[in-house]
Amino acid sequence: MIYLDWAASAPPDVRAVDVARDVSLELYANPSSVHAAGRRAEQRLEEARAQLAAVLGVGPGEVVFTSGGTESNTSLLLSLLDRHRLGGAERQKMRIVTTQIEHASIYEEARLLQGHGITCELVRPRADGTVDPEAVARAVDPQTVLVSVMLVNNETGAVQDVGAVARAVREASRGGRRVIVHTDAVQALGKIPFSLREMDVDAASFSGHKIGAPRGIGALYLRDGVSPGFLGVGGGQEKGRRAGTENLAGICAMAAAAEMRQQALEQNLREASSKAARLIEGIRALPGAWTVPVTRDAQDAARWSPWIVSAVFPPLPAEVVVRTAEENGFCISTGAACSSKKKDRTRVPESMGLPPETARCAVRISLGPSTTMDQVDAFVAFLSRCLPPLLEMARGRR
């Protein structure tokens, strides 16, 4: 089986798993305990925090460990419901600005908050899947408290100019309350170069299992001075920002995986760009098949993450392509794993202007550092061998 669904979850990095195993066996005490074993666990926790902070280019105190990217996203949005910080009347005036192409943990959480009186404005992307920073800024008004724009789209690989978004939002909100600018950077960590400081964001979300760490660990960057009122209280861990005993083994594994990915980032990115270009060439060689968006430049790694390629083979439904791929030894997906079984899984391509019947044909092929060119070539050969007969039947030519 050739695994081409890295955007959903990366195969575990043996080195990160070794770190998790060693920490589990040696530092099993609770980092909050005051005895010697607890203090050793706490020391290792802070070492891992500093390690991940160094990769992100931020201060250790700005890193909060969570259970994953989804919790990082939802905890920030749910913090807006803090009744102690904002009374009921004031809360009715609160507003969130995000986009129609966000991960479900932002998109659906924002819609949920509307039921609690918090207005949500959803900015539509351009046809190429990118968001106009000025369109985001135009959606900002005096009641806006948070803006969230994903750095790398998890379905199309489109890279958003989050720095330009932040600048536009700062300008639009000048003279009023400071707007928290957040980015979901789950598909960016260890895959493309970025700087949280240069983007000037206040918050960012990350996930460990996208880079080879175990599932169930993530992180939230919170710029110094940004103190949303988190609702998850109980034990005071993470300086009161995330209750619950820290997953020390997962934390150490994630920090190690992030550091290793960062060290190899430039070489991995070059190799991924070549593989993505080969994949896109193979897709476009099939009559009637195209990438999403059709205008994607296979050579432009600044605007498109080479780790993710979205394609359609109309009129074949995505499920048919995925099942046929599996029968021939390949794992790909119908889109984001979190939405693959939902009725609204075509939200992202439809928001880019694709007709619903075409959007239902969208599949995602995602690569990783250990994906070889031979594997990409094998997948391209599968496409050219197996899909044309299916396409002919679906188009009524047989």
Side-chain angles (χ1 to χ4, degrees), residues 233-244:
V233 297
Q237 292 90 350
E238 297 298 286
K239 297 182 179 178
R241 298 173 293 186
R242 197 269 183 177

Side-chain angles (χ1 to χ4, degrees), residues 25 31 48 57 65 68 89 134 147 153 243 261 266 293 325 351 364 387 397:
L25 293 174
F65 288 111
E134 294 303 321
V147 169
N153 187 267
R261 282 291 192 96
E266 290 186 10
S351 71
R364 181 182 69 183
L387 289 200
R397 297 177 183 172

Side-chain angles (χ1 to χ4, degrees), residues 124-152:
R124 188 182 183 91
R126 294 175 284 214
D128 65 356
T130 62
V131 177
D132 180 1
E134 294 303 321
V136 176
R138 286 194 296 271
V140 172
D141 67 8
Q143 281 72 50
T144 303
V145 294
L146 183 142
V147 169
S148 182
V149 177
M150 179 185 284
L151 182 52
V152 176

Side-chain angles (χ1 to χ4, degrees), residues 27 29-49 246 248:
L27 298 170
N30 192 317
S32 297
S33 296
V34 296
H35 50 60
R39 294 196 299 273
R40 286 195 295 272
E42 182 185 26
Q43 180 181 353
R44 185 68 180 87
L45 170 64
E46 295 311 317
E47 290 173 355
R49 194 188 310 278
E246 292 93 347
L248 184 58

Side-chain angles (χ1 to χ4, degrees), residues 16 19-21 23-24 27 214 246-254:
V19 170
R21 180 199 60 201
V23 170
S24 295
L27 298 170
E246 292 93 347
N247 175 6
L248 184 58
I251 287 169
C252 294
M254 179 180 178

Side-chain angles (χ1 to χ4, degrees), residues 316-350:
L316 288 180
E319 292 82 1
V320 172
V321 178
V322 170
R323 184 171 65 250
T324 304
E326 182 180 1
E327 291 170 351
N328 285 270
F330 301 93
C331 287
I332 62 174
S333 72
T334 57
C338 60
S339 301
S340 62
K341 298 179 181 179
K342 296 179 180 179
K343 293 182 180 179
D344 67 344
R345 68 172 180 79
T346 60
R347 167 172 55 86
V348 170
E350 282 193 55

